[in-house]
Amino acid sequence: MKKILFLLLIYFPLLSQDYKIPPDVIRSLIEADPQPTISLTKDGDLGLVLNRDGYQSIDELAKDELRIAGTRLDPVRYTSSRMTYYKSFSLLYTNSGENISVDFPLNGKFSFFQWSPDEKRIAFTNTTDDGVELWVLDIKSKTSKKISDRYINDILNSPFRWYNSSDELLVSLRSNKKKPIISSVPSGPIVQETTDQNAPSRTYQDLIKNKNDEIQFEHYASVELHKISLNGSSEMIQNGIIKDYDLSPDNEFLMTKTIKKPFSYLVPYYRFPYVVDVKNMVSGTISLIADIPLDEVRPKGFDATRTGKRSVSWRNDMGSELYWVEANDGGDPKVITENRDIVYTLSSPFTSEKKELVRTKLRFRNIIWGTGNEALLGERLWKNRNEITSLIDTDSRTIVKTLFNRQYDDIYSDPGSPVLTSNKFNRNVVEIKKNSVYMIGQGGSSEGYRPFLSQLNLKSLETNILFRSEAPYYERPIKLAGNDSKNLITSRESKTDNPNYFIRNLSSKDIKQITFFENPYKKLEQLKKEVINYKRDDGIDLSSIVYTLESYNPDKEGRLPVLIWAYPREYTSKKVASQVRNSPYRFTRISYGSPIFWALRGYAVMASTEMPIVGFDGDQPNDSFRDQLVMNAKAAIDKISDMGIGDRDRVGVGGHSYGAFMTANLLAHSDLFAAGIARSGAYNRTFTPFGFQREERTYWEAPELYNYMSPFMHSDKVNEPLLLIHGEEDNNSGTFPVQSIRFFNAIKGHGGTSKLVMLPKESHGYRAKESILHMLYEMDSWLEKYVKNNNVKPDNVKLKIN
């Protein structure tokens, strides 16, 4: 009998268990309230301080959820089913630093805060058990008021938008139609057909699968747009399956993008057919702007796009003029042409012919409209990482000059982004004064990030740095305050100072602290942080951030076990790959996915460890993916060992998503690590045959590459313990839960050591506190057993690059 029971345990292992809790030093960090965030007025004199809620419980995730047409929705409350909310808020007067309490609903779940154009009120939503309510906070009285008894539907679109009057809002409300009755009896087979169409398709999740899904999507996605005044009066303006809407800057017209049938079983809702209409808010007449067909068929490549009108939007600098983009190359990046896209405009009453504004050499990215007749045009091409920013004259409809022509992944040459201001229509535009614009950037440099505020002369293209973060601080410009642009609001932190907001006078250099947020993660103050730089064997510069206990003494305690946490990134040049992408002066903060917890558990943690994959001599980066990955890892281990900190025989490696893919490959193709942790990864690239991450080639174009890069194909070589964690309901394209299940079984079938943990109700990122604590428990137990207490001491470390 005992023998039979033993065999049953082998073939039928325990399938579920209760949620576990990690050690207190980890648990207490997860249970701490996060630091508040601030939303400032245009002039920066008043701020809304928002306090986020902690992690939600598994009870919330376990509530009813519909997954259709690429959405995950709450069928009871008609909202997204995986929202993060704020639990309270207050007002901050930045000049005095005074924090003022305000009235709001008790035990509320708040989101979508938006200042009114006159900044005398703030609209927000409150999610209750029955639905999403619209509330408005009056700044003067410090009281909040519910505006309507009708519930909001924000499944596909924004819940509301202010009118310029600041007395009315355009609100997306639930349709009054009754819920459909869904039959469990199939109405017929599901049939799909293709005829001579070259249509590569991504592996989307949560698609429409049958007629019932079609009926439910139509019901839950249908909304009524109402004009609601602050006194509660309401008027319906438009209805339908509206996925986007926007009032013209002068509020005289309403543009809607309304989904129509047929719905697709191959792509999410945002690629369904739709019409773009403009409604005159006075006469009620409707103008058809575009009729966009189903977007199932596109050319191959990351720079591919659909044909016809796209990105239809209002010009922020005009009262009621539309603009959009049309592909000039058929949407196919392989077509050789001088101009990839053409930007057109159409002014009210939308009955004339469209007018060409400008043509782009690369794929259109954006237009930032100005306060006068100038605007900034952005274009970009993924293939060569090229980015062009140009100054255009909107009157003559010409490109005046090219401001920047650069590689967008080259952070050292990043000029920053223009500072925006609000125009007479309460729209964000760039203000050009005396041929100059203000720019804010992250300030990539060989010393690490040094954020800056600059003034760019659009004629000479000379840059005048008005402020740059200086050691020992990491200080990030937020916005210019006041009409004279002499005061700059920044967020400043250091290794020892928690991030807080400051006001800097750019003339006098005086600085004043305006918030005094305390570090919610006090235990992290026990850590020492050090940015280290080193080279890999081919000379590429690498970096990592090393965390250890401040009390750690190498002479007394010896070498530490090491956890390396990373995410590989592709680059087209050695120069760009070698750039420093961190700052030695940032305060230590933590999230549930961070590896820093284990520095408090006595490990040397190498976080943000650079793992560049570089294209050499015309080859694609992935052609030597495995070799470069192992080279990166070896360099990191050599560095931490040479520092006298890390024990090279007790090194663990881990990552999330593509970092999990990296981890599995490192265990399969090297013997550098004692163990690995892979969260929510993909391991068999034939499951994503039309490309993955930044790989454009399909499986049929490069089958050897897919085999070469898939750790699943090399599971027989995974001879170190590997912990696999995955959300049971991962909806990320390419990282379906079956990826971890199949990989675990492959390792098991070859006699390897592995553990598979499937987190119920969780998606690609994890939300429930119970799930997060259990994940950390599993990771901690794995590291303690297979890394910290690893007793295997080989005489030397051999690379198994194969």
Side-chain angles (χ1 to χ4, degrees):
M1 183 65 185
K2 288 183 179 180
K3 184 175 181 180
I4 293 174
L5 179 60
F6 175 72
L7 290 173
L8 285 173
L9 289 172
I10 291 176
Y11 289 102
F12 300 95
L14 188 64
L15 297 180
S16 65
Q17 63 180 20
D18 292 335
Y19 287 107
K20 299 292 181 66
I21 297 175
D24 284 348
V25 69
I26 295 176
R27 177 192 54 76
S28 60
L29 290 171
I30 291 298
E31 293 180 345
D33 286 334
Q35 179 161 311
T37 57
I38 295 183
S39 170
L40 294 165
T41 55
K42 300 166 192 172
D43 292 335
D45 58 339
L46 183 63
L48 176 69
V49 182
L50 300 167
N51 300 292
R52 267 192 299 133
D53 209 349
Y55 295 110
Q56 63 190 123
S57 73
I58 194 67
D59 294 341
E60 280 291 318
L61 283 190
K63 289 183 177 179
D64 288 345
E65 180 181 64
L66 275 180
R67 303 171 202 161
I68 45 178
T71 68
R72 291 190 169 183
L73 60 94
D74 182 333
V76 174
R77 296 181 283 194
Y78 288 67
T79 186
S80 297
S81 56
R82 295 168 184 259
M83 287 284 293
T84 299
Y85 299 103
Y86 295 96
K87 64 179 180 181
S88 63
F89 50 92
S90 59
L91 295 173
L92 173 71
Y93 291 91
T94 56
N95 290 326
S96 65
E98 185 180 11
N99 199 304
I100 304 295
S101 297
V102 297
D103 171 63
F104 49 78
L106 293 176
N107 302 315
K109 294 180 178 179
F110 310 122
S111 57
F112 296 108
F113 290 87
Q114 190 177 127
W115 291 89
S116 63
D118 63 8
E119 298 185 328
K120 294 180 179 179
R121 302 175 182 91
I122 300 172
F124 61 95
T125 63
N126 177 36
T127 301
T128 68
D129 289 340
D130 298 318
V132 181
E133 302 171 338
L134 175 64
W135 286 69
V136 169
L137 168 69
D138 181 80
I139 302 300
K140 184 176 181 180
S141 68
K142 312 296 187 295
T143 58
S144 298
K145 175 185 176 183
K146 188 169 73 168
I147 301 303
S148 172
D149 290 329
R150 293 275 303 271
Y151 289 120
I152 284 172
N153 180 336
D154 59 5
I155 291 170
L156 299 189
N157 53 40
S158 299
F160 60 84
R161 296 183 189 277
W162 281 100
Y163 281 81
N164 287 337
S165 65
S166 296
D167 294 321
E168 298 165 318
L169 300 106
L170 188 62
V171 187
S172 175
L173 298 178
R174 287 189 201 175
S175 170
N176 275 327
K177 294 179 181 178
K178 293 182 179 180
K179 288 187 178 182
I181 298 173
I182 301 300
S183 173
S184 60
V185 179
S187 59
I190 308 302
V191 179
Q192 298 187 55
E193 183 177 1
T194 183
T195 54
D196 300 325
Q197 289 182 321
N198 188 350
S201 180
R202 295 184 69 186
T203 49
Y204 293 109
Q205 281 263 47
D206 303 334
L207 299 178
I208 287 178
K209 302 177 185 65
N210 51 48
K211 189 67 176 179
N212 283 343
D213 281 355
E214 291 192 52
I215 294 170
Q216 293 202 92
F217 174 72
E218 184 172 11
H219 171 74
Y220 286 105
S222 294
V223 301
E224 296 178 2
L225 292 182
H226 280 239
K227 182 179 184 180
I228 300 179
S229 67
L230 295 184
N231 63 18
S233 62
S234 178
E235 173 191 359
M236 191 175 80
I237 304 297
Q238 194 74 292
N239 64 354
I241 308 176
I242 299 173
K243 70 172 184 175
D244 191 20
Y245 63 92
D246 193 15
L247 290 163
S248 60
D250 60 11
N251 286 184
E252 293 183 10
F253 297 89
L254 171 67
M255 179 186 66
T256 56
K257 298 178 181 179
T258 306
I259 293 172
K260 64 178 186 176
K261 294 179 179 178
F263 302 147
S264 173
Y265 287 38
L266 291 179
V267 294
Y269 76 89
Y270 48 83
R271 292 177 66 171
F272 288 4
Y274 67 97
V275 294
V276 182
D277 287 323
V278 170
K279 182 174 184 176
N280 186 307
M281 298 293 281
V282 176
S283 68
T285 57
I286 295 177
S287 303
L288 176 65
I289 304 300
D291 192 342
I292 309 299
L294 177 63
D295 184 16
E296 283 185 349
V297 180
R298 285 189 185 185
K300 290 184 293 185
F302 294 143
D303 292 314
T305 189
R306 62 174 174 79
T307 57
K309 298 174 183 176
R310 69 180 200 274
S311 303
V312 182
S313 305
W314 294 110
R315 286 182 56 167
N316 284 350
D317 63 333
M318 302 287 284
S320 53
E321 183 164 301
L322 293 168
Y323 76 97
W324 64 80
V325 188
E326 295 183 29
N328 193 46
D329 57 4
D332 189 349
K334 291 184 175 62
V335 171
I336 298 174
T337 180
E338 184 178 354
N339 301 113
R340 296 245 162 244
D341 286 330
I342 305 176
V343 182
Y344 294 97
T345 64
L346 182 66
S347 58
S348 59
F350 316 108
T351 54
S352 59
E353 291 294 316
K354 63 185 180 183
K355 291 183 179 180
E356 182 177 319
L357 176 65
V358 72
R359 296 186 174 218
T360 67
K361 294 181 179 179
L362 313 179
R363 192 64 77 202
F364 172 85
R365 187 184 179 206
N366 63 358
I367 288 183
I368 304 175
W369 304 98
T371 50
N373 66 330
E374 295 171 308
L376 302 181
L377 170 70
E379 38 188 310
R380 177 178 281 193
L381 208 61
W382 179 87
K383 188 71 176 179
N384 57 10
R385 313 301 196 272
N386 191 201
E387 178 181 76
I388 297 175
T389 303
S390 305
L391 177 68
I392 60 176
D393 186 314
T394 57
D395 287 345
S396 64
R397 296 175 176 259
T398 57
I399 293 179
V400 177
K401 66 168 56 178
T402 297
L403 302 179
F404 310 107
N405 190 337
R406 54 184 293 273
Q407 303 303 112
Y408 63 77
D409 56 355
D410 178 3
I411 61 173
Y412 289 4
S413 69
D414 185 358
S417 300
V419 175
L420 303 182
T421 187
S422 184
N423 64 7
K424 63 181 180 180
F425 301 117
N426 294 299
R427 295 287 181 126
N428 286 329
V429 293
V430 59
E431 186 173 27
I432 300 175
K433 283 185 177 179
K434 298 180 180 179
N435 296 311
S436 294
V437 296
Y438 291 109
M439 306 283 284
I440 289 177
Q442 65 180 352
S445 75
S446 57
E447 305 168 47
Y449 289 130
R450 295 182 59 200
F452 65 85
L453 169 72
S454 68
Q455 196 168 26
L456 171 68
N457 187 297
L458 298 179
K459 279 195 172 181
S460 66
L461 299 187
E462 293 180 354
T463 296
N464 177 27
I465 300 295
L466 304 176
F467 166 79
R468 186 188 293 274
S469 181
E470 298 284 351
Y473 297 104
Y474 175 86
E475 190 167 0
R476 178 171 55 90
I478 303 298
K479 70 182 307 176
L480 286 165
N483 296 323
D484 55 7
S485 299
K486 290 183 179 179
N487 290 321
L488 177 66
I489 297 178
T490 69
S491 173
R492 188 172 80 164
E493 62 192 89
S494 72
K495 284 184 178 181
T496 57
D497 296 322
N498 189 56
N500 270 291
Y501 286 81
F502 290 74
I503 293 182
R504 278 186 167 275
N505 187 294
L506 296 174
S507 300
S508 66
K509 310 299 182 185
D510 291 339
I511 184 169
K512 176 184 177 183
Q513 185 170 347
I514 57 177
T515 66
F516 296 86
F517 301 138
E518 293 186 358
N519 178 17
Y521 310 111
K522 288 288 187 180
K523 283 188 171 61
L524 296 182
E525 295 175 1
Q526 301 173 17
L527 298 182
K528 176 185 177 183
K529 172 184 175 181
E530 181 179 5
V531 175
I532 61 171
N533 301 289
Y534 50 98
K535 292 181 182 291
R536 73 183 197 187
D537 288 346
D538 61 357
I540 287 182
D541 294 317
L542 304 175
S543 66
S544 181
I545 305 175
V546 176
Y547 296 90
T548 59
L549 284 168
E550 184 71 54
S551 60
Y552 167 62
N553 185 326
D555 296 331
K556 293 182 179 179
E557 300 172 55
R559 293 177 181 268
L560 299 176
V562 180
L563 173 60
I564 295 177
W565 200 262
Y567 190 96
R569 300 186 187 278
E570 300 87 349
Y571 300 98
T572 56
S573 73
K574 178 178 177 179
K575 173 189 171 185
V576 173
S578 294
Q579 293 179 344
V580 179
R581 289 175 171 80
N582 51 50
S583 168
Y585 305 116
R586 301 209 68 173
F587 191 72
T588 300
R589 282 167 286 188
I590 202 164
S591 66
Y592 80 84
S594 172
I596 301 174
F597 297 101
W598 286 279
L600 294 168
R601 294 280 285 155
Y603 293 75
V605 173
M606 300 182 73
S608 303
T609 305
E610 292 289 341
M611 291 279 175
I613 308 297
V614 187
F616 294 106
D617 302 324
D619 289 343
Q620 294 293 323
N622 284 337
D623 291 344
S624 54
F625 178 86
R626 286 176 5 197
D627 295 359
Q628 291 195 57
L629 209 56
V630 173
M631 210 184 318
N632 291 327
K634 179 180 178 295
I637 293 173
D638 287 345
K639 178 63 176 181
I640 199 73
S641 177
D642 292 344
M643 292 173 67
I645 294 174
D647 180 351
R648 66 167 63 247
D649 294 328
R650 294 188 295 158
V651 182
V653 63
H656 188 92
S657 194
Y658 208 55
F661 174 71
M662 168 205 76
T663 298
N665 267 299
L666 284 170
L667 295 196
H669 303 296
S670 79
D671 285 322
L672 294 167
F673 298 98
I677 299 172
R679 293 194 320 231
S680 298
Y683 311 103
N684 184 346
R685 284 306 172 189
T686 67
F687 287 176
T688 53
F690 286 104
F692 56 90
Q693 197 69 6
R694 290 296 177 259
E695 178 54 62
E696 283 191 302
R697 290 167 289 184
T698 70
Y699 169 76
W700 296 274
E701 292 172 325
E704 299 85 2
L705 177 75
Y706 278 66
N707 183 72
Y708 165 81
M709 290 185 68
S710 295
F712 176 84
M713 310 303 184
H714 308 278
S715 53
D716 57 324
K717 302 185 186 79
V718 179
N719 54 10
E720 296 87 13
L722 177 61
L723 172 62
L724 296 164
I725 302 175
H726 216 120
E728 277 189 351
E729 296 166 9
D730 190 338
N731 66 337
N732 186 55
S733 178
T735 57
F736 288 10
V738 71
Q739 290 271 10
S740 287
I741 295 169
R742 294 280 177 85
F743 191 39
F744 170 77
N745 280 293
I747 295 172
K748 178 175 175 287
H750 287 97
T753 299
S754 186
K755 185 175 186 179
L756 175 63
V757 179
M758 303 299 293
L759 299 174
K761 304 296 180 182
E762 295 293 351
S763 185
H764 192 61
Y766 314 144
R767 288 186 175 273
K769 184 167 73 171
E770 293 88 342
S771 302
I772 291 165
L773 289 173
H774 187 87
M775 173 201 77
L776 295 170
Y777 161 81
E778 295 284 4
M779 291 175 63
D780 186 73
S781 301
W782 199 258
L783 291 169
E784 290 290 292
K785 182 176 182 179
Y786 292 112
V787 176
K788 181 180 282 187
N789 296 307
N790 175 36
N791 294 318
V792 180
K793 301 287 183 181
D795 293 333
N796 52 62
V797 176
K798 298 178 181 178
L799 303 185
K800 56 175 182 184
I801 304 175
N802 43 35

